[in-house]
Each structure stands twice: as C-alpha cells, then as structure tokens.
Amino acid sequence: ETGVTQSPTHLIKTRGQQVTLRCSSQSGHNTVSWYQQALGQGPQFIFQYYREEENGRGNFPPRFSGLQFPNYSSELNVNALELDDSALYLCASSFRSGVTDTQYFGPGTRLTVL
Amino acid sequence: TQLLEQSPQFLSIQEGENLTVYCNSSSVFSSLQWYRQEPGEGPVLLVTVVTGGEVKKLKRLTFQFGDARKDSSLHITAAQPGDTGLYLCAGSKGWGKLQFGAGTQVVVTP
C-alpha cells in the first residue's frame, strides 16, 4: 500500500454538474499530482501542486481546478461536467528532493458522467 | 497522443514462459518508472530507473534503461498468473508531469 487515499471510490454525475474529488497524500510527501485515465489509455497529467501552489499543468481546460492544503491533502474540482470527463481520476504524491520525482498513486476515483 | 510508445499492446502467455515489454520514445527522460495496474485500481510502482544503461532486477523482473535514456524494457522470467496486469511505463523530465505510455496488457494463464 502506498498510503495515498482517495474519496469517493465511485461517483455518478450528470452533464453540467460540478464535482470535487479528494486525495490524502502519503505521510511526509509535499507534492501531489492529478491524472485522468480514460478506458484503455494511460493516465494523462492534469496538474501538480507543490507547497500549495500549482506547479505545472497539462492540456486540460480551466474548468479543471485544484487545491492543496497545508496538510498536503488535495482536491480536484471539475465544473460543467461533460460526457468525456468520465474516467478514472488518480492522484499521486511524491517528495520533492534530488533529481527524481517518483510518484505513488492512490486507488483512484471512478467518475461516470451521464 | 502518447509520447511513449509501448509494445506489444497485448500479450497472452502460459505460466512459466518469459516475456518482454518495450517502451520507446524519441524524447530523452531524466528518469523512467514502471507501474503495474489492476482493473479499477491505481498504478503500483515497480521500479524507477535513472541512469542510461541501468539494469535493475526485482525478483523475476528485469528492467533496463536505454543508454540514451529514450527507451526501456521490462523482462519477466517464468511468468506466473500473479503477473497478470496492465504494465505502464512513465517518463519524467524532472519535476512535474509523468508522461505515460498506453500500457501493455499481460495475461498469464495457468
């Protein structure tokens, strides 16, 4: 087990709604990244937070936003949900030091948009 | 689009056989990570390779990072049903995003 937890496990929303997904990082980690994994594909980077500031963003629209809290837990918010937002959302935590960024993933939240 | 190309996409073998999964890119990475993912779960880290030409062994799994740090391979010796899963490679160019391949689905039948 990585020590990274996510909630909820599953979520069903309708198009146009808003959703908030939560992640608790592994103890001692100061960086959290969020990924979207569509069925049959590898995870796609959404953004990363380091010490509560956004530190890099993938090719996702502004309706995808996030927060990192002082205790290094994190939220992913998605507004105006679209059908294509249906996917497994993964958060990964890491500790920024040295030259490598080894990321440890949580179990994911399965979002279904109807 | 996937910056990292994995091959094959799907591999079905009998228990006891060997297999190799490849991960190729035209980009140079500072490190590369291999993960295994079960259905509906998050990827589980297997190994991180950093140095060009590096070889790491994890029991029956052998990981190699190419000399130019653009490609990698995963070799499994005497595969077991517990090795079944989606194998993902992910490259890093420093801090920030991991760039993933689409994955190789491995099925090992008894």
Side-chain angles (χ1 to χ4, degrees):
Chain A
E1 287 203 3
T2 64
V4 181
T5 60
Q6 292 186 242
S7 62
T9 306
H10 296 87
L11 203 51
I12 299 175
K13 292 285 189 178
T14 56
R15 195 169 47 183
Q17 285 188 310
Q18 178 266 342
V19 69
T20 297
L21 310 182
R22 294 179 173 84
C23 172
S24 179
S25 297
Q26 183 172 323
S27 178
H29 284 183
N30 55 14
T31 304
V32 65
S33 306
W34 284 91
Y35 293 81
Q36 180 195 67
Q37 187 176 22
L39 207 59
Q41 297 183 20
Q44 297 289 323
F45 177 75
I46 303 175
F47 43 57
Q48 184 181 81
Y49 279 82
Y50 170 63
R51 292 185 176 178
E52 303 173 56
E53 302 243 342
E54 187 179 291
N55 178 57
R57 187 179 183 93
N59 190 25
F60 281 82
R63 59 189 184 84
F64 285 78
S65 63
L67 283 171
Q68 186 185 30
F69 299 101
N71 66 355
Y72 300 125
S73 64
S74 176
E75 286 183 355
L76 164 65
N77 298 288
V78 187
N79 293 321
L81 284 166
E82 300 177 0
L83 297 179
D84 285 348
D85 295 333
S86 295
L88 182 68
Y89 287 85
L90 298 161
C91 82
S93 75
S94 56
F95 180 74
R96 178 169 289 198
S97 73
V99 297
T100 61
D101 183 12
T102 298
Q103 299 183 16
Y104 299 88
F105 284 82
T109 293
R110 171 69 63 186
L111 173 64
T112 302
V113 182
L114 303 176
Chain B
T1 51
Q2 307 282 164
L3 191 62
L4 284 165
E5 297 292 331
Q6 286 190 240
S7 61
Q9 289 183 314
F10 182 82
L11 200 52
S12 180
I13 60 171
Q14 297 283 331
E15 183 176 1
E17 294 182 336
N18 301 333
L19 69 97
T20 302
V21 176
Y22 299 94
C23 176
N24 296 298
S25 176
S26 57
S27 292
V28 176
F29 294 101
S30 58
S31 68
L32 194 137
Q33 298 167 29
W34 284 93
Y35 294 85
R36 182 170 66 214
Q37 185 177 26
E38 305 285 343
E41 298 181 9
V44 175
L45 180 68
L46 297 174
V47 79
T48 299
V49 286
V50 178
T51 306
E54 181 177 4
V55 177
K56 279 192 174 179
K57 292 192 175 183
L58 186 68
K59 296 183 181 179
R60 294 176 294 99
L61 278 61
T62 301
F63 304 86
Q64 185 164 9
F65 201 12
D67 290 341
R69 289 186 286 130
K70 293 181 179 180
D71 52 81
S72 181
S73 64
L74 157 61
H75 182 79
I76 301 179
T77 303
Q80 299 176 0
D83 295 324
T84 293
L86 179 68
Y87 288 83
L88 293 159
C89 67
S92 173
K93 296 188 177 185
W95 290 104
K97 67 178 179 181
L98 286 177
Q99 295 171 314
F100 280 86
T104 295
Q105 181 64 51
V106 172
V107 176
V108 183
T109 53

